[in-house]
Amino acid sequence: YRVFNAEYESIDTEKELENAIENSPELLFEQPVTMLARQHYIFTEEKDRHIVDMVFFDQEADEIILVELKRGKLISDHHHQIRRYIENAPKSGLLKAFLEKGSSIRGVLATVEDCTLDTGDSNVSVCIVDRNKAIRVLKGLRDRRLSEI
Protein backbone atom coordinates (compact mmCIF):
# COMPACT_ATOMS: atom_id res chain seq x y z
CA TYR A 1 0.00 0.00 0.00
CA ARG A 2 2.84 2.38 0.83
CA VAL A 3 4.40 2.05 -2.62
CA PHE A 4 1.15 3.01 -4.31
CA ASN A 5 0.91 6.15 -2.22
CA ALA A 6 4.58 7.12 -2.42
CA GLU A 7 5.08 10.44 -4.13
CA TYR A 8 7.12 10.63 -7.29
CA GLU A 9 10.22 12.68 -6.64
CA SER A 10 12.27 11.83 -9.69
CA ILE A 11 12.25 10.28 -13.12
CA ASP A 12 14.05 7.01 -12.48
CA THR A 13 13.74 5.29 -15.85
CA GLU A 14 13.45 6.17 -19.52
CA LYS A 15 10.17 4.26 -19.49
CA GLU A 16 8.74 6.70 -16.93
CA LEU A 17 9.81 9.60 -19.14
CA GLU A 18 8.22 7.84 -22.13
CA ASN A 19 4.98 7.37 -20.20
CA ALA A 20 4.88 11.05 -19.27
CA ILE A 21 5.58 12.20 -22.85
CA GLU A 22 3.09 9.76 -24.37
CA ASN A 23 0.37 11.18 -22.13
CA SER A 24 1.51 14.80 -22.47
CA PRO A 25 3.40 15.33 -25.74
CA GLU A 26 3.49 19.04 -24.89
CA LEU A 27 6.36 18.17 -22.56
CA LEU A 28 8.42 17.98 -25.78
CA PHE A 29 6.45 19.74 -28.47
CA GLU A 30 4.79 23.12 -28.88
CA GLN A 31 2.81 21.96 -31.92
CA PRO A 32 0.24 19.14 -31.98
CA VAL A 33 1.77 15.76 -32.82
CA THR A 34 0.55 12.19 -33.11
CA MET A 35 2.51 9.37 -31.56
CA LEU A 36 3.13 6.62 -34.11
CA ALA A 37 5.20 4.21 -32.01
CA ARG A 38 7.16 3.48 -28.87
CA GLN A 39 10.26 1.28 -28.89
CA HIS A 40 10.22 1.18 -32.70
CA TYR A 41 12.71 -1.14 -34.41
CA ILE A 42 14.92 0.10 -37.24
CA PHE A 43 17.37 -2.24 -38.95
CA THR A 44 20.58 -1.23 -40.69
CA GLU A 45 22.00 -2.66 -43.91
CA GLU A 46 24.09 -4.96 -41.69
CA LYS A 47 20.85 -6.17 -40.05
CA ASP A 48 21.75 -4.49 -36.76
CA ARG A 49 18.62 -3.69 -34.78
CA HIS A 50 18.19 -0.22 -33.32
CA ILE A 51 15.30 0.80 -31.10
CA VAL A 52 13.95 4.33 -31.31
CA ASP A 53 12.31 5.32 -28.03
CA MET A 54 9.41 7.24 -29.57
CA VAL A 55 8.19 8.19 -33.03
CA PHE A 56 5.83 11.11 -33.62
CA PHE A 57 4.26 12.71 -36.67
CA ASP A 58 3.70 16.44 -37.04
CA GLN A 59 0.88 16.58 -39.59
CA GLU A 60 1.09 20.35 -40.10
CA ALA A 61 4.81 20.20 -40.96
CA ASP A 62 4.45 16.77 -42.65
CA GLU A 63 7.37 15.60 -40.55
CA ILE A 64 8.37 12.41 -38.75
CA ILE A 65 10.10 13.07 -35.43
CA LEU A 66 12.32 10.38 -33.93
CA VAL A 67 12.85 10.86 -30.19
CA GLU A 68 15.72 9.41 -28.20
CA LEU A 69 15.29 9.76 -24.43
CA LYS A 70 18.08 9.83 -21.89
CA ARG A 71 17.87 10.09 -18.12
CA GLY A 72 21.28 11.70 -17.80
CA LYS A 73 23.23 14.39 -19.60
CA LEU A 74 23.32 14.28 -23.36
CA ILE A 75 26.68 13.66 -25.05
CA SER A 76 27.87 13.61 -28.65
CA ASP A 77 27.47 9.81 -28.80
CA HIS A 78 23.73 10.33 -28.42
CA HIS A 79 23.77 12.63 -31.44
CA HIS A 80 25.53 9.94 -33.48
CA GLN A 81 22.95 7.42 -32.26
CA ILE A 82 19.95 9.43 -33.47
CA ARG A 83 21.72 10.21 -36.76
CA ARG A 84 21.96 6.42 -37.36
CA TYR A 85 18.23 6.17 -36.71
CA ILE A 86 17.48 8.96 -39.17
CA GLU A 87 19.78 7.50 -41.83
CA ASN A 88 18.21 4.04 -41.50
CA ALA A 89 14.59 5.21 -41.17
CA PRO A 90 13.72 4.27 -44.78
CA LYS A 91 14.35 0.61 -43.82
CA SER A 92 11.38 0.74 -41.42
CA GLY A 93 8.08 -0.19 -43.04
CA LEU A 94 6.21 2.34 -40.91
CA LEU A 95 8.58 5.22 -41.59
CA LYS A 96 9.21 4.30 -45.23
CA ALA A 97 5.52 4.82 -46.04
CA PHE A 98 5.67 8.41 -44.74
CA LEU A 99 9.02 9.15 -46.37
CA GLU A 100 7.86 7.86 -49.76
CA LYS A 101 4.93 10.29 -49.57
CA GLY A 102 7.43 13.15 -49.11
CA SER A 103 7.42 13.59 -45.35
CA SER A 104 10.61 14.99 -43.86
CA ILE A 105 12.33 13.51 -40.83
CA ARG A 106 14.20 14.92 -37.87
CA GLY A 107 15.45 13.80 -34.49
CA VAL A 108 15.04 15.04 -30.94
CA LEU A 109 17.36 14.16 -28.08
CA ALA A 110 15.49 14.63 -24.83
CA THR A 111 16.49 14.51 -21.19
CA VAL A 112 15.38 15.87 -17.82
CA GLU A 113 18.94 16.91 -16.98
CA ASP A 114 20.47 20.29 -17.73
CA CYS A 115 22.77 20.02 -20.68
CA THR A 116 24.71 22.19 -23.07
CA LEU A 117 25.04 19.77 -25.98
CA ASP A 118 24.99 21.60 -29.30
CA THR A 119 24.55 19.08 -32.10
CA GLY A 120 25.40 21.61 -34.80
CA ASP A 121 22.85 19.67 -36.83
CA SER A 122 19.69 21.32 -38.17
CA ASN A 123 17.96 17.90 -38.25
CA VAL A 124 18.63 17.05 -34.58
CA SER A 125 17.47 19.23 -31.73
CA VAL A 126 17.98 18.98 -27.99
CA CYS A 127 15.07 19.28 -25.58
CA ILE A 128 15.25 19.48 -21.82
CA VAL A 129 11.98 18.17 -20.41
CA ASP A 130 10.71 20.00 -17.35
CA ARG A 131 11.24 17.39 -14.64
CA ASN A 132 8.53 18.78 -12.34
CA LYS A 133 5.92 18.81 -15.10
CA ALA A 134 6.83 15.24 -16.06
CA ILE A 135 6.50 14.15 -12.44
CA ARG A 136 3.07 15.81 -12.24
CA VAL A 137 1.99 13.85 -15.32
CA LEU A 138 3.24 10.61 -13.76
CA LYS A 139 1.38 11.38 -10.53
CA GLY A 140 -1.79 11.96 -12.54
CA LEU A 141 -1.35 8.65 -14.35
CA ARG A 142 -0.81 6.85 -11.07
CA ASP A 143 -3.87 8.50 -9.53
CA ARG A 144 -6.00 7.39 -12.51
CA ARG A 145 -4.72 3.81 -12.17
CA LEU A 146 -5.45 3.80 -8.44
CA SER A 147 -8.98 5.12 -8.98
CA GLU A 148 -9.62 2.17 -11.32
CA ILE A 149 -8.68 -0.38 -8.64
Side-chain angles (χ1 to χ4, degrees), residues 38-40 42 50-55 66-68 85:
R38 278 178 71 162
Q39 300 299 306
H40 182 67
I42 295 179
H50 297 282
I51 303 172
V52 181
D53 290 326
M54 304 182 90
V55 180
L66 305 181
V67 178
E68 182 59 26
Y85 298 166

Side-chain angles (χ1 to χ4, degrees), residues 8-20:
Y8 281 99
E9 299 298 328
S10 65
I11 306 291
D12 294 323
T13 66
E14 286 181 17
K15 184 176 180 177
E16 287 177 335
L17 187 54
E18 273 185 49
N19 290 341

Side-chain angles (χ1 to χ4, degrees), residues 40-48 50 52 66 80-93 95-96 99 105:
H40 182 67
Y41 293 89
I42 295 179
F43 291 89
T44 65
E45 295 280 333
E46 298 79 26
K47 305 293 183 217
D48 292 329
H50 297 282
V52 181
L66 305 181
H80 299 302
Q81 179 182 9
I82 199 142
R83 286 298 317 164
R84 278 193 309 276
Y85 298 166
I86 292 168
E87 290 161 11
N88 288 287
K91 296 174 186 76
S92 155
L95 304 180
K96 181 179 181 180
L99 295 168
I105 188 168

